[in-house]
Amino acid sequence: MQNNNVHQLSCADCGVLNCASRASKYPEFCPTKALNEDELNKVVELYTKNRVNRRVAAASAQVEGAFYGKASRVEEIIHFARRISAKKIGIATCVGLIEESRIFAKILRLNGFEVYGVGCKVGSVNKTNIGIDKKYTCVTGPVMCNPIMQAKLLNKEKVDLNVVVGLCVGHDSLFYKYANGLTTTLITKDRVLAHNPAGALYQTRAYYKHLLAAPISEEENL
């Protein structure tokens, strides 16, 4: 376990954010301060010289600038998809949020998009088939989530934009790894906080103060 008294300072420790305001000084540990001009220019060129990167970055900035504080995440995805000329949108959904995905698909179709969705249990493979201990099959059943197959099927459909809807922690990582196209997220799963994981951070001085009191226990509740 990492010693919490000794850690490398980074943006996660910064209270200045001069990179955004340019109204103060960069801390000594600031990554921006440490960058040399050549490193920065090479990354800027990835935005200016790569057609896809340029289009995505521009579309993102346009959506942020035009709809800041006005549009929901659902609406922002639609505005973004239009700006990158996406025609077909893939939905990688948890089967536990299939109703939300149905509603989202209906909204997308109403706005002129073709939609193809793939549920996380696609293929219906048992968890034990890939070596998962049977004791971990008791809560959600024997069928494993299959994010790699979700990605491969959406790749096969040649979707222009993937949207993740509530895939589990780690399963979403595998989906991002194997998806060929651009991917954004509509819902991040949190079974305890109604899919609002930021709630735990907002409540660290109240209901979730235990998160800052001690390391999280590895004790399992099976």
Side-chain angles (χ1 to χ4, degrees):
M1 184 177 295
Q2 183 180 357
N3 184 343
N4 291 328
N5 294 321
V6 180
H7 62 266
Q8 182 180 8
L9 295 177
S10 66
C11 293
D13 306 287
C14 183
V16 180
L17 301 181
N18 189 51
C19 56
S21 66
R22 296 179 180 172
S24 184
K25 293 183 178 179
Y26 296 115
E28 287 302 314
F29 62 82
C30 179
T32 297
K33 185 175 182 179
L35 284 172
N36 63 54
E37 189 173 349
D38 185 56
E39 283 181 288
L40 187 57
N41 287 341
K42 284 182 178 179
V43 172
V44 170
E45 285 181 358
L46 292 176
Y47 292 101
T48 59
K49 294 186 177 181
N50 182 289
R51 181 179 58 83
V52 174
N53 293 348
R54 185 170 64 248
R55 172 183 272 190
V56 171
S60 301
Q62 290 164 9
V63 171
E64 180 187 20
F67 303 102
Y68 193 95
K70 300 175 183 177
S72 65
R73 180 83 177 191
V74 169
E75 293 166 310
E76 284 189 336
I77 289 173
I78 290 170
H79 291 308
F80 174 73
R82 286 172 174 165
R83 280 165 171 75
I84 63 169
S85 300
K87 304 298 182 185
K88 188 173 185 178
I89 296 180
I91 301 177
T93 182
C94 168
V95 296
L97 285 91
I98 195 68
E99 182 60 27
E100 290 85 346
S101 289
R102 287 194 189 107
I103 295 169
F104 182 49
K106 184 176 181 179
I107 293 169
L108 290 173
R109 288 172 177 137
L110 183 63
N111 282 275
F113 296 100
E114 185 180 353
V115 180
Y116 193 84
V118 181
C120 63
K121 301 296 185 180
V122 64
S124 199
V125 178
N126 282 349
K127 296 173 185 177
T128 52
N129 284 16
I130 63 168
I132 295 174
D133 194 305
K134 191 174 181 179
K135 71 179 181 179
Y136 295 111
T137 70
C138 58
V139 177
T140 58
V143 180
M144 75 175 197
C145 294
N146 198 344
I148 295 177
M149 183 57 74
Q150 284 180 291
K152 287 184 174 294
L153 289 175
L154 290 173
N155 293 343
K156 186 178 179 180
E157 287 296 319
K158 293 181 169 53
V159 299
D160 300 308
L161 177 67
N162 294 303
V163 181
V164 168
V165 178
L167 297 187
C168 297
V169 172
H171 295 154
D172 54 0
S173 301
L174 285 172
F175 180 83
Y176 299 138
K177 179 179 180 179
Y178 284 90
N180 287 342
L182 291 171
T183 302
T184 191
T185 301
L186 176 59
I187 299 174
T188 301
K189 176 176 285 176
D190 189 319
R191 298 178 181 90
V192 174
L193 296 176
H195 310 306
N196 176 28
L201 306 179
Y202 298 145
Q203 290 292 321
T204 52
R205 293 187 179 182
Y207 303 112
Y208 281 85
K209 61 185 177 183
H210 66 275
L211 292 175
L212 295 177
I216 296 171
S217 171
E218 287 293 323
E219 181 179 354
E220 297 177 347
N221 182 24
L222 294 176

